[in-house]
């Protein structure tokens, strides 16, 4: 049965509606599920309530009526006890009671043979004279549980039947309303679309029928009908525009100077613009192959691109038309369908004028190459001279720094040596006084103690200052040797930099500032200690000269940390800082903020080159105005090879 016939049957009767049947089925299933669920819950509540009533009734007999029955039995009033049992058996949920008393059995109601709820209580009489209870017998109470089960089952079945009837009525009404308000109107929209033809459009718009009470004047289906009318109108306009664009494209193709072409899977020309047909003297109606066109038969690059069955561009070919030579650039787009390759569509652009200009430019470039080569040689020679000058300036900067260090250390050594000479004079005078008094036999114990105290103090002063001078000379010697030497060796950076700080003390105390070195004293490196001391020395001197003007409490900290394969040296000061826009310039050669005050502009440039080229490490610089400077050096712990000396720099 066709789809249209099934829809027409759905319009005749609601039960033939596929969507309606599915909705009703889902509603019945959901309604049945929730009905059974709620009924079971209600049944559970009724069950609990019924047996709760039974328990309360049994408790009432045991707590209230048992004492009355015991009083009757105590006076042997069996008639009164039997009457009480007959009265209690008429209470709700009580079906049978019995009393066992001194071999006598009293009962009321019918004995139960089905499932029952049983309970019993001891009958005892409280004697007021002796204040004790006397056991008389046993009271048994039974309630028929099967009666409760039957009642609950009856309620369950009745509830299900009522809900089933209600669900059937509601579903029938919903199916009829759905059929009237949805199915018929949806079919009207589908039928309108099935008869729509954009070439010969239906001029009358779609209008849906409305039924009072079950439909709104403007609902979702009315909105769908309006959108359907809009779509059909747009489709009509679209077909008109497509026809107009086809005519326009045909006119552009015939009027264009570029060639437009199309081939099939066998490289036969199925379309050519009029200009191409005239130039090649072919007719597209014959569908000639590209290879068989005389003018194109020698175009090997074009034929190769067509053989690849793939998109191609910039396929340049030289074509002779008549007595003139032309240059064309072919490009094509390959088209594929589910059956495979179907052909190409492409263009051919005349670039004859551009090609002629290119050839002229090539001839001009050839004439310029000789001049460029000569000037390049001159520039190369000038660059070599500049590199040599820069190398010399950097070496001069290193020697100047070492000379300044020598002068400072010499001045610093003079102080302890002067004190040592003074102490030596004091000792000599004390010894002379002691010898004179001894020879004259006028030496007293008090004089001896005073003179020996002078000798001891002078000796301590002499020893302390000589050790201080020796330490300064040793640190200077180690620093000087390190700065001059560039040989790789095993060293401990903490100890090496502490020795360097001792040599730099004549400069740092001018500020004054005492650089603090933190780190593991046992950490070892295999690198270039002289290069490292040169780098740290330049950083410290740069801070001393530029950073602490107007800073009340200058501070320099050097933190050395082990990072596994690398050693991180973090240099910080709390000086005036460097503006962010100057971060790239401070490492340039000859850039200095102290031009005319002794600054050469090579200190930080030397730092950058030594870190990157000789220590094979990385340098990170961070600073801001009035926030000090932070320089982080990441150096390999074990230098693999000593690089060749270089002094070129790049901005950091």
């Amino acid at each position: 049965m066709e789809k249209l016939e099934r829809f027409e049957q759905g319009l005749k009767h609601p039960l033939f509606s596929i969507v309606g049947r599915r909705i009703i089925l889902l509603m019945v299933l959901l309604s049945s599920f929730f009905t059974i669920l709620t009924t079971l819950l209600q049944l559970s509540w009724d069950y609990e309530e019924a047996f709760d009533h039974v328990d309360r009734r049994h408790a009432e007999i045991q707590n209230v009526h048992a004492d009355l029955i015991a009083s009757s039995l105590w006076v042997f009033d069996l008639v009164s006890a039997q009457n009480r049992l007959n009265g209690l058996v008429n209470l709700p949920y009580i079906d049978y009671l019995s009393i066992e008393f001194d071999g006598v059995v009293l009962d009321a109601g019918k004995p139960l043979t089905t499932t029952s709820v049983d309970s019993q209580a001891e009958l005892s009489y409280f004697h007021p004279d002796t204040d004790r209870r006397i056991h008389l017998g046993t009271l048994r109470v039974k309630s028929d549980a099967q009666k409760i089960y039957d009642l609950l089952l009856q309620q369950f079945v009745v509830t299900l039947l009522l809900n089933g009837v209600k669900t059937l009525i509601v579903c029938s009404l919903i199916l009829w309303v759905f059929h009237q308000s949805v199915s018929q109107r949806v079919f009207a929209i589908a039928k309108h679309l099935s008869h729509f033809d954009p070439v010969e459009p239906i001029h009358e718009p779609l209008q849906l029928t409305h039924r009072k009470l079950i439909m709104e004047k403007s609902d979702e289906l009315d909105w769908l009908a309006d959108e359907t009318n809009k779509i059909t109108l747009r489709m009509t306009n679209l077909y008109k525009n497509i026809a107009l664009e086809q005519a326009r494209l045909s006119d552009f193709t015939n009027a264009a100077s570029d060639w437009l072409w199309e081939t099939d899977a066998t490289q036969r020309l199925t379309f050519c613009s009029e200009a191409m047909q005239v130039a090649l003297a072919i007719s597209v109606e014959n569908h000639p192959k590209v290879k068989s066109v005389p003018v194109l038969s020698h175009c090997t690059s074009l034929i190769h691109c067509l053989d690849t069955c793939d998109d191609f561009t910039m396929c340049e070919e030289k074509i002779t038309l008549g007595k003139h030579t032309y240059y064309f650039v072919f490009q094509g787009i390959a088209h594929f369908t589910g059956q495979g390759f179907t052909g190409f569509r492409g263009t051919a652009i005349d670039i004859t004028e551009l090609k002629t200009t290119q050839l002229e430019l090539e001839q001009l470039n050839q004439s310029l190459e000789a001049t460029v080569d000569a000037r390049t040689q001159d520039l190369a020679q000038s660059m070599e001279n500049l590199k040599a000058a820069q190398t010399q300036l950097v070496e001069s900067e290193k020697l100047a720094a070492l000379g300044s260090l020598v002068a400072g250390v010499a001045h610093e050594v003079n102080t302890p040596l002067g004190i040592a000479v003074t102490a030596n004079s004091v000792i000599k005078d004390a010894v002379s006084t002691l010898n004179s008094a001894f020879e004259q036999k006028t030496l007293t114990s008090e004089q001896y103690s005073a003179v020996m105290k002078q000798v001891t103090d002078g000796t301590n002063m002499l020893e302390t200052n000589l050790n201080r001078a020796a330490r300064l000379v040793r640190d200077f010697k180690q620093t000087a040797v390190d700065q001059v030497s560039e040989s790789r060796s095993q060293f401990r950076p903490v100890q090496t930099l502490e020795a360097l700080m001792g040599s730099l003390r004549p400069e740092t105390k001018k500020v004054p500032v005492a650089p603090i070195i933190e780190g593991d004293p046992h950490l070892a490196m295999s690198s270039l200690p002289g290069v490292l001391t040169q780098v740290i020395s330049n950083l410290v001197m740069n801070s001393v000269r530029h950073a602490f003007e107007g800073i009340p409490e200058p501070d320099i900290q050097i933190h050395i940390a082990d990072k596994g394969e690398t050693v991180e040296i973090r240099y910080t000061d709390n000086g005036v800082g460097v503006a962010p826009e100057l971060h790239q310039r401070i490492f340039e050669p000859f850039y200095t903020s102290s031009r005319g005050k002794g600054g050469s502009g090579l200190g930080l440039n030397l730092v950058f080159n030594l870190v990157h080229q000789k220590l094979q490490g990385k340098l990170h610089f961070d600073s801001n105005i009035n926030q000090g400077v932070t320089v982080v050096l990441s150096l390999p712990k074990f230098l693999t090879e000593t690089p060749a000396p270089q002094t070129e720099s790049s901005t950091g």
Side-chain angles (χ1 to χ4, degrees):
M1 184 180 297
E2 296 182 356
K3 185 183 296 184
L4 182 61
E5 294 180 357
R6 290 201 303 269
F7 283 156
E8 289 179 349
Q9 284 186 356
L11 289 176
K12 296 177 181 178
H13 197 281
L15 291 178
F16 286 99
S17 173
I18 300 175
V19 178
R21 291 203 306 268
R22 176 63 60 179
I23 292 175
I24 294 303
L25 177 60
L26 292 175
M27 289 184 62
V28 169
L29 292 177
L30 291 175
S31 178
S32 300
F33 172 75
F34 286 108
T35 298
I36 293 175
L37 180 62
T38 55
T39 304
L40 289 175
L41 290 175
Q42 183 64 41
L43 183 64
S44 174
W45 294 334
D46 293 343
Y47 175 85
E48 295 291 338
E49 185 178 5
F51 280 93
D52 186 54
H53 284 310
V54 171
D55 293 337
R56 287 201 300 269
R57 190 64 66 186
H58 284 207
E60 178 186 349
I61 292 175
Q62 294 172 4
N63 298 329
V64 177
H65 299 283
D67 291 340
L68 298 177
I69 296 175
S71 299
S72 299
L73 294 178
W74 175 256
V75 297
F76 295 97
D77 190 356
L78 300 182
V79 175
S80 177
Q82 183 65 49
N83 291 334
R84 289 184 183 277
L85 291 180
N86 293 335
L88 292 175
V89 81
N90 294 322
L91 294 175
Y93 302 104
I94 301 300
D95 295 292
Y96 179 75
L97 295 98
S98 64
I99 297 175
E100 294 182 4
F101 168 67
D102 196 18
V104 178
V105 177
L106 302 178
D107 62 350
K110 295 181 179 180
L112 299 178
T113 59
T114 58
T115 305
S116 62
V117 179
D118 300 342
S119 66
Q120 65 181 16
E122 298 295 331
L123 296 175
S124 59
Y125 176 75
F126 179 75
H127 198 286
D129 296 333
T130 60
D131 291 335
R132 65 185 184 88
R133 285 189 172 275
I134 301 172
H135 177 71
L136 301 178
T138 302
L139 172 64
R140 289 184 174 84
V141 184
K142 292 186 178 182
S143 299
D144 191 356
Q146 187 63 41
K147 185 188 299 183
I148 298 175
Y149 294 150
D150 294 341
L151 180 60
L152 293 176
L153 179 61
Q154 181 181 0
Q155 291 178 356
F156 178 73
V157 173
V158 171
T159 302
L160 287 182
L161 290 176
L162 292 177
N163 281 282
V165 173
K166 179 187 69 175
T167 301
L168 180 62
I169 295 173
V170 171
C171 290
S172 300
L173 292 175
I174 291 176
L175 180 61
W176 180 81
V177 172
F178 179 82
H179 178 70
Q180 296 293 327
S181 61
V182 179
S183 296
Q184 291 184 347
R185 300 165 75 194
V186 170
F187 177 76
I189 297 173
K191 188 175 182 180
H192 176 81
L193 291 175
S194 65
H195 290 87
F196 172 71
D197 188 357
V199 180
E200 297 179 359
I202 301 174
H203 298 289
E204 295 182 0
L206 173 64
Q207 292 183 352
L208 300 178
T209 58
H210 286 80
R211 298 182 183 276
K212 296 181 179 180
L213 300 180
I214 64 173
M215 299 181 190
E216 292 286 344
K217 292 183 178 179
S218 179
D219 56 12
E220 289 83 354
L221 293 179
D222 290 324
W223 174 78
L224 179 61
D226 294 338
E227 294 300 319
T228 301
N229 291 329
K230 292 179 182 179
I231 291 174
T232 54
L233 181 60
R234 290 173 184 172
M235 290 290 293
T236 301
N237 295 333
L238 179 61
Y239 268 81
K240 290 181 180 179
N241 293 334
I242 290 175
L244 179 62
E245 293 297 330
Q246 287 178 341
R248 184 178 297 164
L249 179 61
S250 178
D251 294 339
F252 286 156
T253 301
N254 295 329
S257 59
D258 297 336
W259 295 353
L260 305 178
W261 53 272
E262 182 184 44
T263 67
D264 58 11
T266 60
Q267 297 185 11
R268 292 184 178 275
L269 291 171
T270 58
F271 170 79
C272 287
S273 61
E274 185 176 352
M276 185 175 180
Q277 294 185 51
V278 173
L280 300 181
I282 60 174
S283 175
V284 181
E285 296 178 356
N286 298 327
H287 300 296
K289 285 190 174 183
V290 176
K291 298 178 181 179
S292 63
V293 178
V295 178
L296 303 178
S297 59
H298 67 282
C299 298
T300 55
S301 298
L302 175 61
I303 295 174
H304 174 71
C305 291
L306 294 176
D307 291 336
T308 60
C309 299
D310 197 3
D311 297 348
F312 64 90
T313 58
M314 304 304 294
C315 178
E316 184 177 330
E317 291 291 352
K318 181 179 179 182
I319 298 175
T320 301
L321 300 176
K323 297 180 180 181
H324 301 281
T325 301
Y326 297 89
Y327 293 90
F328 285 86
V329 173
F330 288 84
Q331 58 184 8
I333 299 176
H335 286 268
F336 297 86
T337 61
Q339 289 74 28
F341 176 68
T342 59
F344 284 97
R345 291 195 186 102
T347 62
I349 303 175
D350 185 1
I351 60 168
T352 304
E353 294 183 2
L354 181 62
K355 192 68 176 179
T356 303
T357 304
Q358 180 183 356
L359 295 175
E360 293 176 355
L361 287 175
E362 289 178 355
Q363 294 177 357
L364 180 61
N365 289 337
Q366 291 176 359
S367 64
L368 291 176
E369 286 181 357
T371 304
V372 173
D373 290 340
R375 293 188 178 181
T376 302
Q377 293 178 359
D378 294 340
L379 290 174
Q381 185 63 37
S382 300
M383 184 61 69
E384 292 295 332
N385 295 335
L386 287 174
K387 289 181 179 179
Q390 183 180 357
T391 302
Q392 185 176 0
L393 286 172
V394 171
E395 293 299 327
S396 300
E397 175 70 13
K398 292 171 65 177
L399 293 176
L402 186 58
S404 176
L405 182 62
V406 170
V409 171
H411 176 74
E412 188 72 13
V413 169
N414 284 336
T415 300
L417 290 180
I419 297 174
V421 171
T422 303
N424 185 54
S425 299
V426 171
I427 293 172
K428 288 175 65 178
D429 293 341
V431 171
S432 178
T433 302
L434 184 64
N435 289 331
S436 177
F438 180 76
E439 291 175 355
Q440 297 175 4
K441 298 181 180 181
T442 60
L443 182 62
T444 64
S445 59
E446 290 84 359
Q447 185 181 12
Y448 176 77
S449 299
V451 172
M452 290 305 297
K453 185 178 185 305
Q454 290 181 353
V455 172
T456 302
D457 293 341
T459 303
N460 292 335
M461 184 182 300
L462 179 62
E463 182 181 4
T464 300
N465 285 277
L466 288 178
N467 288 335
R468 178 183 174 190
R471 183 171 63 255
L472 288 172
V473 172
R474 183 178 65 252
D475 292 344
F476 166 72
K477 180 181 177 181
Q478 180 62 40
T479 302
V481 169
D482 286 343
Q483 290 190 357
V484 173
S485 173
E486 292 186 359
S487 60
R488 184 176 59 182
S489 63
Q490 187 87 8
F491 66 98
R492 294 179 178 178
V494 173
Q495 297 179 356
T496 300
L497 296 186
E498 286 178 347
L500 174 65
M501 293 304 111
S503 301
L504 293 178
R505 178 171 174 76
E507 297 293 334
T508 57
K509 73 178 184 179
K510 296 176 182 178
V511 175
V513 61
I516 299 174
I517 299 176
E518 298 177 346
D520 183 5
H522 301 290
L523 174 63
M525 293 179 63
S526 178
S527 186
L528 304 176
V531 176
L532 178 59
T533 56
Q534 182 69 43
V535 168
I536 301 301
S537 176
N538 282 21
L539 291 176
V540 172
M541 295 306 299
N542 189 71
S543 296
V544 169
R545 293 170 181 171
H546 306 289
F548 298 123
E549 183 176 356
I551 302 299
E553 296 181 0
D555 179 64
I556 295 177
Q557 294 192 7
I558 303 173
H559 182 74
I560 303 173
D562 187 357
K563 298 295 184 180
E565 297 295 329
T566 62
V567 174
E568 180 183 276
I569 301 178
R570 180 178 295 269
Y571 176 91
T572 59
D573 68 31
N574 63 341
V576 296
V578 179
E581 60 269 16
L582 299 179
H583 287 187
Q584 299 296 326
R585 297 196 59 194
I586 59 174
F587 294 103
E588 295 178 0
F590 309 111
Y591 176 80
T592 177
S593 60
S594 301
R595 186 72 66 191
K597 300 180 182 179
S600 65
L602 292 175
L604 291 182
N605 174 255
L606 181 62
V607 168
F608 185 89
N609 287 333
L610 292 177
V611 170
H612 283 81
Q613 297 170 5
K614 295 201 172 184
L615 296 178
Q616 301 180 13
K618 298 179 181 179
L619 183 148
H620 175 73
F621 180 85
D622 187 24
S623 180
N624 209 332
I625 297 296
N626 297 324
Q627 295 183 7
V629 167
T630 298
V631 180
V632 180
L633 307 180
S634 296
L635 308 177
K637 186 182 295 184
F638 301 100
L639 195 64
T640 56
E641 60 181 5
T642 303
Q646 297 179 6
T647 57
E648 295 183 6
S649 71
S650 60
T651 57

